[in-house]
Amino acid sequence: MRKGAGHNQRGQGMTEYLVIVALVAVAAIAVYQSFGQVIRSQTAAMAKELAGEDGSAESQMAQGAAEAAANQTAAKTLKSFTGNAGVSP
């Protein structure tokens, strides 16, 4: 009996680990959805600057994308939730 109990505990630990990994993955996807364009624009600006070129256009694009993501995130709060799809209070 003890041998089976140890196996169940290891299986439970693995299941808990997989649930945590899945939650982290979902959170990472949500962050990338919101700030993906910002990250791509900042990376492009850094690459241009490292190559000796002007990356100010990409930097401005990153700033605009960051502001848009912040506005989109600010608009989604529990206060604005009414239960009707696409209808705000």
Side-chain angles (χ1 to χ4, degrees):
M1 277 203 150
R2 300 234 353 126
K3 190 174 187 180
H7 180 69
N8 286 340
Q9 287 179 352
R10 278 186 272 144
Q12 179 184 356
M14 180 61 76
T15 302
E16 291 171 354
Y17 175 74
L18 290 174
V19 168
I20 291 170
V21 169
L23 290 174
V24 169
V26 168
I29 290 170
V31 168
Y32 190 74
Q33 286 273 335
S34 295
F35 296 103
Q37 184 60 41
V38 176
I39 295 168
R40 285 190 293 272
S41 297
Q42 287 178 339
T43 305
M46 287 186 283
K48 281 199 163 197
E49 292 291 334
L50 286 173
E53 299 175 13
D54 182 26
S56 61
E58 286 78 9
S59 182
Q60 289 174 353
M61 263 190 349
Q63 181 65 33
E67 289 172 0
N71 291 338
Q72 180 182 11
T73 303
K76 294 179 181 178
T77 64
L78 289 177
K79 289 182 181 180
S80 65
F81 179 74
T82 62
N84 297 327
V87 178
S88 61

